């Protein structure tokens, strides 16, 4: 058909018709059950369901047009964010802190035999702060027990006068470093009350570091070690290594037995004098963990070193696979083998005969699935590497990438370390050398020891405010169950696992800085998927970056699960895999900025979920995703609804330079509304995979529905699911096509630059809105100005569409008319722009990624 010259016509719907709504968005259930950390209130499930019924109690609601439902989404979002904002727990905490005085103090110069009621020791050192957290814990327990006794006996006690006006029990911790030799564990008896929370607080303006490791001070070069061993003939030792006489006497025998010949043989002679040595057994450390995970790590001047590896940057590639004695596999034409036996090109691997604990880490079959293996053998004649089982669950294929690590001989650049686990010897190449032999100027070197720093089980109404948590081998803070706990203004860094791992109800994580974590930043689960009771957990205003150091994939900056949880105003960046992962129902994810994630993986999502028909009702709105293009720029995904994930909405987000910015992988009843796409390649991916290659997932769900009357363990057609999600309840009825991507609506979006529905580079090139999906989709009122066309709304399959080719000059001019200042990344739409889609909602871009304050909330 003849192409139309571009005059920026307001695109209009060619197939406008009344449609059933895309699912009853039920976030209003949260309005009565938001987190109230101080008051501790939480509505019953019956109350929440009653409120929802009152809101949506009419058949007319199910007959609204798409434009009406589109407007309703924004009203619900506005109501929800206003309610959440007014209930941020930290702002209530501030008022309580101002009205309460500390109950106990802890300080590095304290003493557990003192009263703990003074901020610092008195003049004659007869009283002062406590020295340990355990002593303060006992003190708080005693006070709580006395209060319980006072209430039960109705007697007046002396404690009443001291705490009668207090709104919180506060343990104030003075500045300094606190080394934990075991996790600090709180149980149910350590809980506060809704009217009297217990607050563990770092003193304002003082750096309080809670460390799950041990500081190393006895290290030296190999030359210095030789000198000390020679001096043992005179029963003396180099004081630069063991400064104190007691250290020298206690460690003489260990030092005599230390064998440094291996290091002198294996290490490159050119850098031997730059390598520092530490005898960990002499330091009393005997458990080093595994190089695979949860092993000892070294942190130098508050930054993590990494296990020695080859190559130092990038990866080796699998050249070919061992065919004799192995089991072939074929996944839809992608071929490989089950066993980990393959050939390599690089001759460097042939130099590792003396190494006895070699490991490899690779993306062995898919670009989004990794595993660490211990090497069984390296055959120099055939250049074959064999790994020990368990083998990777997907297998191994040619061209996939890996690197080797945990090799003494490969310490060759600053920042690397190696632990000889047989002899308990640490070697490391410091990023910077010592300025002098003065022990006071020696660098800060910490080895992680304990698995966790704080563990809370069934604890409620507890606050941790203002601390630095560091150097644990696994998760820094673990909250298992409980209600109304707050982690605020904390820094969590240099952790082997996840920064904060929590489950329960009404917990909040606010304004924390999480970085250099071995796995993810925050993992939060709460709510009941059987009853759809919301968890009301909230993750607000946190900065999370440089995570996934050890577990490279499926270790998200924020991971949420359950029902009815909130993620807002967070900044997430610089990670090898996803920024936010979610599962479950009815979450609200808004005002988050995500960038430079998925940089070491492909077919991965900056925001990811998948593979469940019954997980419905989540809204992702007002988020900013930018500069996300995948490993080697092969392409990943912005917001990824994988393998038939259904009934979630992508509303009012800004995407810039994101490959496959929005992705519907065969799911149903999803909305992509009011988003702005800038230079995305492409903006949309929509397929009908359950009708094709991925049918086996849906087939298993249909079989379960027939045999067990459940889908993924959920009674989908019974209350509360049938009430909450009427489209889910009827999707398996006679005449329906449950495996088809029905009910997906793409409306009122603006796409500028890049492509709209064509993938021109990286993976999956070609039509990104696939022909077998188009008959089930509805597009209306989208304004599209791409690098190759102006695109009218999609027609039904088999009909022609209208595309008008633009010149580069036209595209550039229209971009400048549309956005306020695109050259400086201000992609707010001009209010006077005449060609916006009808009813387009201008995005509150200034709020994205900013930590809320009491002032901004009031505004």
């Amino acid at each position: 058909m003849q192409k139309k010259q571009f005059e920026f016509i307001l695109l209009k719907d060619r197939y406008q018709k009344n449609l059933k709504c895309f699912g009853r968005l039920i976030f209003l259930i949260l309005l009565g059950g938001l987190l109230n950390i101080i008051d501790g209130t939480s509505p019953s499930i019956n109350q929440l369901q009653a409120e929802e019924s009152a809101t949506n109690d009419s058949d007319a609601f199910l007959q609204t047009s798409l434009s009406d439902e589109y407007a309703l989404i924004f009203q619900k979002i506005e109501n929800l964010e206003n309610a959440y904002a007014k209930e941020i727990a930290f702002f209530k905490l501030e008022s309580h802190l101002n009205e309460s005085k500390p109950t106990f103090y802890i300080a590095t110069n304290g003493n557990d035999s003192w009263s703990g009621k003074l901020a610092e020791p008195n003049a004659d050192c007869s009283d002062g702060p406590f020295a340990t957290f355990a002593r303060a814990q006992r003190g708080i327990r005693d006070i709580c027990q006395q209060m319980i006794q006072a209430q039960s006996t109705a007697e007046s006690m002396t404690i009443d006068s001291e705490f009668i006006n207090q709104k919180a029990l506060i343990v104030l911790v003075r500045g300094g470093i606190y080394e934990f030799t075991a996790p600090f564990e709180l149980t149910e008896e350590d809980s506060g009350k809704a009217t009297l929370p217990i607050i563990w607080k770092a003193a304002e303006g003082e750096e309080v570091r809670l460390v799950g490791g041990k500081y190393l001070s006895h290290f030296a070069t190999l030359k210095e070690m030789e000198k000390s061993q020679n001096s043992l003939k005179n029963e003396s030792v180099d004081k630069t290594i063991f400064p104190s006489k007691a250290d020298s006497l206690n460690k003489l025998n260990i030092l005599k037995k230390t064998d440094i010949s291996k290091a002198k043989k294996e290490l490159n002679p050119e850098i031997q004098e730059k390598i520092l040595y530490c005898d960990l057994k002499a330091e009393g450390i005997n458990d080093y963990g595994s190089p695979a995970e949860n092993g000892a790590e070294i942190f130098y001047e508050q930054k993590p070193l990494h296990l020695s590896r080859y190559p130092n940057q990038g990866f080796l590639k699998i050249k070919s696979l061992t065919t004799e004695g192995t089991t072939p596999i074929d996944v839809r034409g992608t071929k490989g083998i089950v066993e980990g036996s393959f050939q390599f090109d690089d001759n460097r691997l042939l130099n590792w005969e003396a190494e006895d604990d070699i490991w490899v880490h690779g993306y062995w079959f898919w670009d989004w699935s990794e595993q660490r293996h211990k090497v069984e053998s390296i055959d120099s004649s055939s250049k074959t590497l064999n790994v020990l089982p368990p083998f990777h669950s997907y297998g191994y294929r040619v061209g996939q990438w890996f690197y080797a690590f945990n090799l003494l001989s490969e310490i060759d650049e600053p920042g690397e370390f190696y632990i000889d686990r047989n002899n308990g010897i640490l070697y490391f190449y410091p990023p910077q050398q010592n300025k002098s032999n003065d022990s006071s100027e020696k660098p800060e070197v910490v080895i992680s020891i304990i698995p966790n720093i704080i563990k809370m089980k069934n604890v409620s109404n507890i606050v941790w405010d203002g601390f630095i948590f560091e150097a644990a081998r696994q998760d820094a803070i673990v909250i298992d169950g409980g209600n109304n706990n707050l982690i605020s203004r904390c820094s969590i860094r240099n952790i082997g696992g996840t920064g904060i791992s929590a489950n329960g109800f009404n917990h909040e994580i606010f304004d924390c800085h999480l970085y250099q974590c071995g796995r993810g930043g925050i993992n939060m689960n709460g709510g009941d998927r059987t009853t759809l009771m919301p968890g009301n957990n909230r993750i607000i205003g946190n900065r999370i970056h440089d995570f996934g150091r050890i577990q490279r994939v499926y270790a998200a900056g924020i991971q949420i699960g359950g029902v009815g949880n909130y993620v807002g105003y967070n900044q997430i960046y610089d990670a090898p895999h996803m920024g936010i992962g979610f599962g479950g129902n009815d979450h609200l994810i808004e005002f988050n900025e995500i960038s430079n994630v998925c940089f070491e993986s492909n077919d991965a999502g900056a925001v990811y979920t998948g593979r469940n028909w019954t997980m419905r009702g989540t809204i992702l709105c007002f988020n900013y995703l930018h500069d996300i293009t995948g490993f080697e720029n092969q392409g990943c995904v912005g917001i990824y609804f994988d393998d038939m994930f259904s009934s979630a909405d992508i509303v009012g987000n800004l995407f810039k330079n994101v490959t496959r910015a929005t992705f519907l992988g065969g799911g149903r009843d999803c909305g992509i509304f009011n988003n702005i796409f800038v230079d995305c390649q492409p903006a949309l991916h929509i397929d009908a995979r359950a009708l094709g290659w991925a049918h086996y997932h849906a087939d298993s769900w249909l079989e379960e529905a027939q045999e067990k009357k459940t889908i993924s363990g959920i009674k989908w057609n019974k209350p509360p699911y049938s009430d909450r999600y009427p489209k889910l309840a009827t999707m398996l009825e006679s005449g329906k096509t449950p495996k088809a991507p029905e009910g997906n609506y793409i409306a009122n979006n603006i796409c500028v630059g890049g492509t709209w529905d064509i993938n021109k580079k990286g993976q999956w090139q070609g039509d990104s809105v696939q022909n077998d999906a188009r008959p089930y989709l509805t597009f209306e009122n989208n304004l599209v100005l791409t690098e190759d066309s102006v695109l009218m709304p999609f027609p039904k399959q088999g009909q022609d569409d209208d595309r008008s080719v633009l010149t580069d000059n036209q595209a550039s001019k229209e971009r400048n008319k549309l956005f306020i200042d695109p050259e400086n990344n201000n992609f707010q739409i001009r209010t006077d722009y005449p060609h916006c889609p009808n009813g387009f909602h201008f995005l509150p871009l200034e709020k994205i990624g900013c930590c809320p304050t009491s002032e901004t909330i009031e505004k």
Side-chain angles (χ1 to χ4, degrees):
M1 75 183 314
Q2 185 177 359
K3 301 291 184 179
K4 297 179 180 179
Q5 289 298 319
F6 177 70
E7 295 179 354
F8 231 89
I9 304 168
L10 175 64
L11 302 182
K12 56 186 178 181
D13 181 24
R14 295 166 64 189
Y15 309 104
Q16 192 169 21
K17 60 183 179 178
N18 288 339
L19 300 164
K20 291 184 178 180
C21 72
F22 53 85
R24 292 197 293 176
L25 304 177
I26 50 73
F27 275 100
L28 292 177
I29 65 170
L30 298 177
L31 293 177
L34 297 169
L35 171 62
N36 191 331
I37 196 167
I38 303 302
D39 298 332
T41 58
S42 182
S44 68
I45 185 63
N46 293 331
Q47 288 174 311
L48 297 174
Q49 290 176 337
E51 291 176 14
E52 181 203 352
S53 299
T55 302
N56 297 331
D57 189 19
S58 77
D59 291 337
F61 178 80
L62 297 179
Q63 302 300 324
T64 55
S65 70
L66 179 58
S67 59
D68 291 337
E69 183 61 23
Y70 169 76
L72 182 60
I73 285 180
F74 279 92
Q75 184 60 56
K76 290 192 174 186
I77 291 171
E78 183 178 358
N79 291 341
L80 284 167
E81 67 187 26
N82 286 342
Y84 272 121
K86 292 175 182 177
E87 294 295 327
I88 289 179
F90 177 75
F91 301 143
K92 289 189 175 182
L93 169 66
E94 284 186 307
S95 64
H96 283 62
L97 289 171
N98 292 335
E99 297 178 29
S100 301
K101 63 181 182 179
T103 308
F104 295 117
Y105 294 89
I106 300 175
T108 55
N109 61 350
N111 190 315
D112 282 352
S113 64
W114 292 341
S115 70
K117 295 184 178 182
L118 300 179
E120 54 188 34
N122 59 14
D124 61 359
C125 290
S126 61
D127 197 9
F130 292 141
T132 67
F133 282 67
R135 179 63 186 89
Q137 179 185 33
R138 293 198 301 272
I140 292 293
R141 285 181 176 179
D142 290 343
I143 291 173
C144 291
Q145 187 61 38
Q146 292 177 48
M147 287 182 169
I148 292 172
Q149 292 175 357
Q151 290 176 347
S152 64
T153 60
E155 294 179 358
S156 176
M157 301 182 65
T158 58
I159 195 170
D160 291 343
S161 61
E162 186 175 354
F163 296 100
I164 191 67
N165 295 320
Q166 294 286 88
K167 289 194 173 182
L169 299 180
I170 302 172
V171 179
L172 192 68
V173 185
R174 302 297 307 276
I177 296 173
Y178 298 83
E179 291 186 41
F180 285 64
T181 58
F184 181 52
E185 299 190 25
L186 293 91
T187 62
E188 192 169 1
E189 65 179 315
D190 296 302
S191 296
K193 295 183 179 181
T195 55
L196 193 72
I198 296 172
I199 301 171
W200 297 81
K201 177 175 173 53
E204 289 292 340
E206 300 181 23
E207 186 178 82
V208 182
R209 298 170 60 184
L210 311 186
V211 181
K214 180 179 178 60
Y215 282 77
L216 302 176
S217 57
H218 304 139
F219 43 84
T221 65
L222 294 180
K223 185 175 182 180
E224 289 170 335
M225 287 301 302
E226 282 188 299
K227 176 182 175 182
S228 289
Q229 287 186 335
N230 291 334
S231 70
L232 291 178
K233 298 175 182 179
N234 301 318
E235 295 298 312
S236 63
V237 68
D238 190 337
K239 298 296 177 60
T240 64
I241 303 173
F242 299 129
S244 75
K245 186 175 294 185
D247 277 337
S248 301
L249 294 175
N250 291 335
K251 296 169 182 174
L252 278 176
N253 289 333
I254 296 175
L255 191 57
K256 288 177 182 177
K257 298 176 182 178
T258 299
D259 182 6
I260 60 175
S261 60
K262 178 180 178 181
K264 291 180 68 63
K265 178 181 178 181
E266 293 295 319
L267 287 170
N268 185 335
E270 295 181 2
I271 64 167
Q272 282 189 11
E273 286 309 305
K274 298 178 181 179
I275 306 300
L276 294 183
Y277 162 101
C278 180
D279 192 320
L280 297 178
K281 289 184 178 180
E283 298 279 352
I285 303 168
N286 297 293
D287 177 11
Y288 317 116
S290 167
E293 60 180 358
N294 301 332
E297 291 193 274
I298 307 301
F299 304 98
Y300 184 95
E301 294 294 322
Q302 303 172 22
K303 293 183 179 180
L305 305 183
H306 63 269
L307 279 169
S308 55
R309 58 169 283 178
Y310 179 78
N312 290 326
Q313 304 293 328
F315 298 89
L316 303 166
K317 295 290 182 74
I318 295 177
K319 178 184 177 183
S320 58
L321 301 172
T322 301
T323 56
E324 185 176 352
T326 58
T327 308
I329 53 177
D330 187 334
V331 183
R332 302 187 303 277
T334 302
K335 298 179 180 181
I337 59 173
V338 172
E339 297 81 9
S341 180
F342 52 85
Q343 286 75 51
F344 54 86
D345 266 332
D346 199 319
N347 290 330
R348 182 75 163 263
L349 280 65
L350 305 179
N351 298 332
W352 298 341
E353 292 182 356
E355 299 282 357
D356 56 8
D357 195 18
I358 306 172
W359 289 71
V360 286
H361 179 207
Y363 294 78
W364 301 110
F365 197 90
W366 300 121
D367 298 359
W368 41 264
S369 183
E370 38 122 30
Q371 187 171 331
R372 295 185 170 208
H373 290 301
K374 185 176 175 62
V375 173
E376 180 180 35
S377 63
I378 297 177
D379 187 319
S380 59
S381 60
S382 62
K383 290 188 177 180
T384 298
L385 188 150
N386 299 292
V387 303
L388 288 169
F391 299 126
H392 188 54
S393 58
Y394 292 110
Y396 306 80
R397 67 183 175 103
V398 172
Q400 290 302 108
W401 51 88
F402 70 98
Y403 66 88
F405 67 101
N406 199 52
L407 302 113
L408 176 60
S409 61
E410 291 297 341
I411 300 182
D412 59 0
E413 71 171 8
E416 291 189 301
F417 79 94
Y418 169 82
I419 296 177
D420 178 347
R421 285 170 164 77
N422 294 325
N423 299 302
I425 301 173
L426 164 68
Y427 304 91
F428 66 98
Y429 192 159
Q432 60 189 34
Q433 299 299 308
N434 300 336
K435 295 181 180 179
S436 73
N437 287 329
D438 184 349
S439 61
S440 65
E441 292 192 30
K442 281 195 173 182
E444 179 183 288
V445 183
V446 179
I447 181 172
S448 60
I449 299 292
I450 63 176
N452 319 108
I453 299 174
I454 304 296
K455 294 185 71 174
M456 299 165 56
K457 186 173 180 61
N458 297 326
V459 178
S460 300
N461 301 301
I462 293 289
V463 176
W464 290 91
D465 180 59
F467 295 94
I468 297 173
F469 297 89
E470 57 188 320
R473 291 190 183 179
Q474 299 178 31
D475 304 344
I477 300 173
V478 178
I479 302 174
D480 184 6
N483 203 2
N484 298 337
N485 296 303
L486 169 64
I487 311 295
S488 62
R489 303 190 304 174
C490 291
S491 291
I492 301 173
R493 65 191 186 194
N494 299 337
I495 300 298
T498 298
I500 301 172
S501 180
N503 64 73
F505 291 84
N506 304 320
H507 303 317
E508 182 173 305
I509 301 170
F510 176 81
D511 193 18
C512 291
H513 185 193
L514 301 101
Y515 60 106
Q516 296 166 190
C517 295
R519 295 191 183 91
I522 300 170
N523 191 333
M524 177 71 78
N525 199 305
D528 188 325
R529 289 204 65 232
T530 301
T531 65
L532 293 178
M533 166 65 82
N536 295 335
N537 297 297
R538 302 186 301 173
I539 302 171
I540 302 175
N542 303 283
R543 184 156 63 103
I544 307 169
H545 60 95
D546 295 283
F547 52 93
R549 290 188 299 104
I550 298 172
Q551 181 180 324
R552 304 294 280 177
V553 302
Y554 295 103
I558 297 174
Q559 178 75 45
I560 56 169
V563 180
N565 300 301
Y566 178 85
V567 177
Y569 301 93
N570 303 283
Q571 291 181 318
I572 304 171
Y573 55 95
D574 294 351
H577 200 233
M578 60 188 179
I580 295 177
F582 73 92
N585 302 65
D586 303 337
H587 306 301
L588 181 59
I589 301 172
E590 67 170 0
F591 292 113
N592 303 285
E593 180 180 359
I594 307 174
S595 63
N596 193 36
V597 296
C598 301
F599 64 63
E600 196 177 277
S601 48
N602 293 314
D603 192 10
V607 179
Y608 178 86
T609 189
R611 202 167 294 175
N612 195 311
W613 270 338
T614 69
M615 292 183 175
R616 295 186 163 228
T618 291
I619 298 177
L620 299 103
C621 59
F622 310 140
N623 302 288
Y624 177 30
L625 282 72
H626 61 98
D627 301 308
I628 301 166
T629 58
F631 181 62
E632 296 179 342
N633 291 317
Q634 288 297 303
C636 52
V637 179
I639 296 179
Y640 195 159
F641 294 169
D642 198 6
D643 288 346
M644 289 73 73
F645 190 88
S646 299
S647 187
D649 293 291
I650 302 169
V651 185
N653 302 280
L654 171 61
F655 301 86
K656 179 182 180 293
N657 187 30
V658 179
T659 52
R660 296 204 295 271
T662 54
F663 189 111
L664 305 184
R668 307 165 55 88
D669 305 325
C670 297
I672 301 176
F673 297 133
N674 209 94
N675 302 284
I676 299 174
F677 302 94
V678 180
D679 298 332
C680 294
Q681 295 277 353
L684 303 175
H685 173 101
I686 307 174
D687 62 47
R689 62 184 59 191
L691 297 175
W693 65 266
H695 65 87
Y696 58 93
H697 292 306
D699 290 343
S700 68
W701 301 336
L702 295 174
E703 182 179 354
E704 179 190 344
Q706 180 69 28
E707 295 180 356
K708 300 181 180 180
K709 310 304 179 185
T710 61
I711 297 176
S712 301
I714 295 295
K715 295 180 179 179
W716 84 98
N717 59 353
K718 303 292 183 184
Y721 276 78
S722 59
D723 294 336
R724 190 72 56 81
Y725 314 115
K727 287 193 172 183
L728 173 64
T730 60
M731 66 181 289
L732 268 59
E733 292 179 354
S734 177
K736 299 291 181 69
T737 52
K739 293 195 288 186
E742 294 179 333
N744 294 309
Y745 306 110
I746 300 90
N748 281 52
N749 300 287
I750 295 175
C751 179
V752 179
T755 61
W756 173 245
D757 67 331
I758 301 294
N759 189 16
K760 291 188 173 183
K761 61 182 182 180
Q763 295 179 329
W764 300 356
Q765 295 183 27
D767 289 337
S768 58
V769 176
Q770 297 174 1
N771 286 333
D772 52 359
R774 292 187 187 236
Y776 303 100
L777 307 176
T778 299
F779 291 78
E780 69 172 0
N781 212 28
N782 297 291
L783 182 60
V784 180
L785 169 60
T786 69
E787 63 187 19
D788 59 352
S789 66
V790 175
L791 180 64
M792 296 296 288
F794 284 113
K796 295 292 185 181
Q797 185 175 3
Q799 297 179 352
D800 291 332
D801 61 4
D802 293 328
R803 296 172 185 255
S804 299
V805 177
L806 302 175
T807 68
D808 291 339
N809 185 50
Q810 286 174 315
S812 178
K813 286 182 178 179
E814 210 58 45
R815 178 187 292 239
N816 290 329
K817 292 178 184 178
L818 177 63
F819 297 123
I820 289 178
D821 188 5
E823 296 301 320
N824 292 299
N825 290 323
N826 185 343
F827 294 102
Q828 186 59 270
I829 304 296
R830 292 182 182 273
T831 57
D832 59 350
Y833 187 75
H835 303 303
C836 278
N838 188 27
F840 184 86
H841 287 245
F842 291 84
L843 306 186
L845 301 180
E846 70 282 356
K847 294 183 179 180
I848 295 175
C850 299
C851 184
T853 66
S854 56
E855 290 78 12
T856 58
I857 290 304
E858 290 303 319
K859 294 179 182 179

